[in-house]
Amino acid sequence: PGAAVRPAPPALPAGRLARWAGHRLHLITWGGAVGPAGLPANTRTHVAPASMGWAATVSLIAQLELAHQPQAARVAFDALSDTARAWSRTPGGAPVWWLRPDRAAAAGQRRAVHRALDQPALGSFDEKLVIESVRVAGSLSRIEIAERTGLTPQAVSRITRDLLTSGILGADERRSTGTGKPRVPLRLRPEAGCAIGIHVDPELITHVLVDLCGTVRSRHTLAVPQRGDPQSCMEWMERTTRHTLAAAGRLGRNLLGVGVAAPGPLDARQGVLLNPPLWAAWGEVPLRAELGRMLGRPVLLEKDATAAAIGEQWLGAGESGTDFVYLYLGAGAGSGAFLNGDVFRGASGNVGEFGELAAYALGQVTPEGGPLMVPECAPMSAVVARAARAGLRAAPGEHAYGAVCA
């Protein structure tokens, strides 16, 4: 803001500009900044108006490029986000420049895709296949496991023997099938393992302990103060986790890990939230690494809509479904999806992240002159705001949305 001209970044190396020979370059500056020296004569300069932030401009360019050349654009915007993240850690007022990679530099480069959960404590893929088959069915004999998984009877016998020895599976009473040797049904032992699930949300943080069958054994909630800072919230997560595990006794000593569901967009590779709507204080917070350090446990971070879709596929309306979309309405609006029997996250882990919609076409603007956001894109906060205007207010420390619903 202001008319003061900030120091110009250093001149760009000639070699980096050579590849753009014959092309018109576009230079965009914000806040009275000037561009780097040594730009070619065919450079066209654009000065963004005060009402147009650099983040909004980049988002618009990203949408246009992704629509026309998604493969090359994906790499360019990964590089841009890395540059922006590095810039956010520099002293205030320091200039920064970024030059878009050309298509040749982008060819063959892709970020690592965030993949499905891997639980080393549960062993190999075949072991997980057996465990999942038993979990879905409730109980299965060895012959039924072989029929459902396609594994050989010898492999099933070896795997189930190991799982019985480790205590993950238990044997029920033999049941007769009329002919041949009676079959022994095998089932998951709920107390064989547990996990901590934490749902991070601008309104309410929910903490649960689940056993190996997915049954919730304990639940705690924290109504987030209006200015709740990340550090105090993570300290609450740490205290609640340690108290919950101690209270669970033997079950709490078999912790497989901690899973955190958080509003998008997020960087699943780095384990950080990327400017979540309605919660600016949590932007660029290394949530996964910091919480893992505090707990001394492995921590997984998943977008809340995707985590909800996984839950529905495991235990809810989409159980055993192979293709469905789960619409998620919380502090914001988003969705999770299963395609061909597997969760679909997209290249960045943020597929289905709608974000906010602007009511620009309706002529509705904010007091600052920017486009007004459609309130239904943040249904929880919109309901609370309308209730407050009508005179309904939650007590201090109470979950506002829950109070309004009640």
Side-chain angles (χ1 to χ4, degrees), residues 93-182:
V96 64
W97 56 262
W98 174 80
L99 183 63
R100 187 197 189 286
D102 61 6
R103 294 190 182 187
Q109 298 182 30
R110 294 301 296 243
R111 280 200 173 198
V113 178
H114 182 52
R115 298 304 301 163
L117 170 65
D118 180 27
Q119 295 178 345
L122 297 185
S124 68
F125 174 81
D126 289 345
E127 286 182 340
K128 296 175 194 173
L129 190 60
V130 170
I131 291 170
E132 178 66 1
S133 299
V134 175
R135 185 195 68 80
V136 171
S139 66
L140 289 174
S141 68
R142 291 174 175 82
I143 293 176
E144 291 168 329
I145 291 173
E147 291 172 349
R148 296 197 180 203
T149 62
L151 296 171
T152 66
Q154 294 82 1
V156 170
S157 179
R158 175 182 56 80
I159 293 170
T160 55
R161 182 174 61 250
D162 292 342
L163 294 175
L164 285 165
T165 301
S166 63
I168 292 177
L169 291 183
D172 284 339
E173 293 183 4
R174 296 176 183 268
R175 65 171 185 253
S176 176
T177 58
T179 59
K181 184 179 179 181

Side-chain angles (χ1 to χ4, degrees), residues 56-328:
T57 306
V58 170
S59 296
L60 177 60
I61 295 173
Q63 294 176 47
L64 293 173
E65 289 222 14
L66 286 170
H68 295 288
Q69 46 180 358
Q71 295 295 332
R74 175 71 256 172
V75 177
F77 298 128
D78 283 344
L80 176 57
S81 64
D82 288 341
T83 300
R85 186 173 295 113
W87 173 63
S88 69
R89 294 190 291 264
T90 60
V96 64
W97 56 262
W98 174 80
L99 183 63
R100 187 197 189 286
D102 61 6
R103 294 190 182 187
Q109 298 182 30
R110 294 301 296 243
R111 280 200 173 198
V113 178
H114 182 52
R115 298 304 301 163
L117 170 65
D118 180 27
Q119 295 178 345
L122 297 185
S124 68
F125 174 81
D126 289 345
E127 286 182 340
K128 296 175 194 173
L129 190 60
V130 170
I131 291 170
E132 178 66 1
S133 299
V134 175
R135 185 195 68 80
V136 171
S139 66
L140 289 174
S141 68
R142 291 174 175 82
I143 293 176
E144 291 168 329
I145 291 173
E147 291 172 349
R148 296 197 180 203
T149 62
L151 296 171
T152 66
Q154 294 82 1
V156 170
S157 179
R158 175 182 56 80
I159 293 170
T160 55
R161 182 174 61 250
D162 292 342
L163 294 175
L164 285 165
T165 301
S166 63
I168 292 177
L169 291 183
D172 284 339
E173 293 183 4
R174 296 176 183 268
R175 65 171 185 253
S176 176
T177 58
T179 59
K181 184 179 179 181
R183 297 179 179 180
V184 179
L186 303 177
R187 56 173 177 78
L188 281 183
R189 296 179 64 249
E191 65 277 12
C194 68
I196 294 292
I198 302 175
H199 181 205
V200 177
D201 183 88
E203 293 282 341
L204 187 73
I205 296 179
T206 304
H207 182 289
V208 297
L209 174 73
V210 297
D211 60 29
L212 194 58
C213 292
T215 302
V216 175
R217 296 294 191 95
S218 73
R219 181 188 299 269
H220 299 84
T221 59
L222 172 68
V224 180
Q226 187 173 6
R227 298 184 179 274
D229 64 286
Q231 186 61 35
S232 63
C233 291
M234 284 191 286
E235 289 172 356
W236 178 86
M237 298 177 203
E238 178 191 17
R239 291 194 305 270
T240 306
T241 297
R242 298 194 186 283
H243 168 76
T244 299
L245 293 176
R250 182 178 177 184
L251 176 64
R253 294 193 288 272
N254 297 322
L255 181 67
L256 295 174
V258 179
V260 178
L266 52 80
D267 185 332
R269 188 183 67 166
Q270 299 292 336
V272 300
L273 278 60
L274 302 176
N275 191 28
L278 309 176
W279 221 10
W282 284 70
E284 300 293 333
V285 173
L287 177 58
R288 185 179 64 196
E290 182 62 16
L291 190 58
R293 182 193 65 79
M294 295 169 70
L295 294 174
R297 308 277 187 171
V299 173
L300 296 172
L301 178 64
E302 186 72 83
K303 189 163 72 80
D304 51 9
T306 301
I310 294 171
E312 288 297 324
Q313 203 271 346
W314 272 40
L315 299 169
E319 187 169 7
S320 302
T322 58
D323 298 271
F324 67 90
V325 173
Y326 181 93
L327 183 61
Y328 186 93

